[in-house]
Amino acid sequence: MFGLIDGNSFYCECERAFDPKLRGKPLVVLSNNDGCAISRTREAKDLGVRMGDPYHLVAKRPELKPVIWKSSNYALYGDMSRRMYEVLCEMVPQVEPYSIDEMFLDLRGMPWDLVKLATEIRAAVRQIAKIPTCVGIGPTKTLAKLANKVAKGERHGSGICDFSTPEARSAKFPQIPLGDVWGMGGASVEKLAKGGIRSVADFVALPLDEVRKTLTVTGLRTHAELRGLSCYPFSLNAPTRQTIACTRSFGRMITEWEEMRQAVVTYVSRAAEKLRRHGLRASAMQVFMHTNLFNKDPRYSNQVTVAIEPASDTFALIGAATRAAQSMWRKGYRYQKAGIVLIDLYQPQDMPVQDMFASRDPVKSKAIMAALDAVNARFGRGTLQAGIIGKTATWGMRRANLSPCYTTRLDDLLQVNSGPLRSTDEPHLIP
DNA sequence: TCTGGGGTCCTAGGACCC
DNA sequence: TCTGGGGTCCTAGGACCC
């Protein structure tokens, strides 16, 4: 049996955990660059903020005046996710992180009442990690996900939904729209609706060849999972990464090559850091840049893919990325975004060709990269930056309302007054 | 002025092979 | 008149996820 636990309005609740003033208020966390709404509290949803609403449009709406808008703080959310994971590991034999706010629980062989266990898990995560959650239970991952969705939809429910028995499923399935199912996106829902298939019950009753014909093998898997046949096993070790990317919109449009060069150098450095953290090397990369696709500016969009000598060395990757960017740079446009994606990733021992004639001394390179990563880990990202001389860039992303990194920066730690403790779980802030 | 970022998997079609 | 069968590998694009 699987469980799926999922943080309610996860990013918003991470903010609330450290700032009591946000509790009970309509709160929205914005995407990078303060672009659009990506996490909303119940209060904000009730006021009509939708997922993906562009901030600059929605902030003008008078009924949304009371909403508090926060820039996203991934250092905080990532660390809160880790805390949630640790609490869960104490309570069930195995936990498989699925996303920053969702984790599958292996409930096989758990001897007691699963709903009771789920209740205890929710309470522990709430108390220790400060995150409210919902839990879904089912014999497959897809059913656990669906149960979780049902639990989340119940306004004053228990926060738990159990789909472990066929009876529980057939009672609910006729009322659940197909789009609620994990793996059923807009395109599939639309295709099936043409044949009158709208609810999960309709879909489950569909013959296999029909499913295969309209949705190919992925649809077939979802279909099987909904009938209780597991196709996605529980897996402990995270699969090795296929791609590592760093792509960003600029805080303002940029028009100069030097700015673009700096951006590309910054992004590729960041990606190389991730690459080393995963112990991988890249043997190809894609670099892209484009102008704003929403406004009436003259449009330009280009992308190049280059093969490189397998590397995780920042300097090597910078060279390749800069050349690629230069080859597609056209002066006279207002660029809005650029990015780099590292592809064809290898574990060094699996590399098809050993770098016998490597143009860089591998021992030296390894030592320099280790030093670079250590300095940046200790003193903050970008303390040592290859390929950029001088002042801070002005094109970086907008993050107008960023919360402190309460849990990952010493300078940002909350301070607690000494003296008699008050009977409250709220941190006592020193102004 | 201002519309995110980072992933995975699958398929179709072309090039190529024997 | 008639032009096989069975593969692999690569890429671009679609669909989906959070």
Side-chain angles (χ1 to χ4, degrees), chain A residues 276 311-316 360-371:
Chain A
R276 290 192 291 274
S312 61
D313 183 295
T314 296
F315 295 101
R360 269 162 217 280
D361 176 346
V363 177
K364 216 187 251 178
S365 159
K366 202 174 169 189
I368 296 173
M369 290 306 114

Side-chain angles (χ1 to χ4, degrees), chain A residues 270-291:
Chain A
R270 176 88 191 90
E273 208 177 295
K274 273 195 237 177
L275 189 65
R276 290 192 291 274
R277 189 152 24 90
H278 286 88
L280 297 169
R281 295 189 196 180
S283 50
M285 72 166 77
Q286 290 170 344
V287 183
F288 71 85
M289 58 181 72
H290 61 74
T291 56

Side-chain angles (χ1 to χ4, degrees), chain A residues 8-30 37-51 64-72 76-77 401 403 406:
Chain A
N8 304 340
S9 315
F10 184 71
Y11 296 169
C12 290
E13 291 298 337
C14 291
E15 298 287 347
R16 277 179 172 173
F18 290 91
D19 188 350
K21 291 195 297 296
L22 301 175
R23 294 181 197 169
K25 304 262 176 61
L27 170 66
V28 173
V29 172
L30 301 168
I38 54 171
S39 178
R40 307 155 296 152
T41 59
R42 166 55 52 204
E43 297 82 359
K45 289 175 192 171
D46 288 347
L47 284 177
V49 182
R50 285 161 311 178
M51 199 66 175
L64 300 182
K65 195 99 184 185
V67 175
I68 300 167
W69 311 89
K70 285 282 191 183
S71 306
S72 41
L76 175 64
Y77 312 149
N401 198 7
S403 50
Y406 297 108

Side-chain angles (χ1 to χ4, degrees), chain A residues 355-378:
Chain A
D355 42 4
M356 195 170 167
F357 300 105
S359 47
R360 269 162 217 280
D361 176 346
V363 177
K364 216 187 251 178
S365 159
K366 202 174 169 189
I368 296 173
M369 290 306 114
L372 183 70
D373 292 340
V375 168
N376 285 332
R378 175 145 180 208

Side-chain angles (χ1 to χ4, degrees), chain A residues 291-312:
Chain A
T291 56
N292 190 325
L293 305 172
F294 292 95
N295 67 14
K296 295 193 171 66
D297 277 0
R299 288 199 191 173
Y300 175 69
S301 169
N302 209 343
Q303 175 258 321
V304 294
T305 305
V306 288
I308 53 177
E309 187 180 291
S312 61

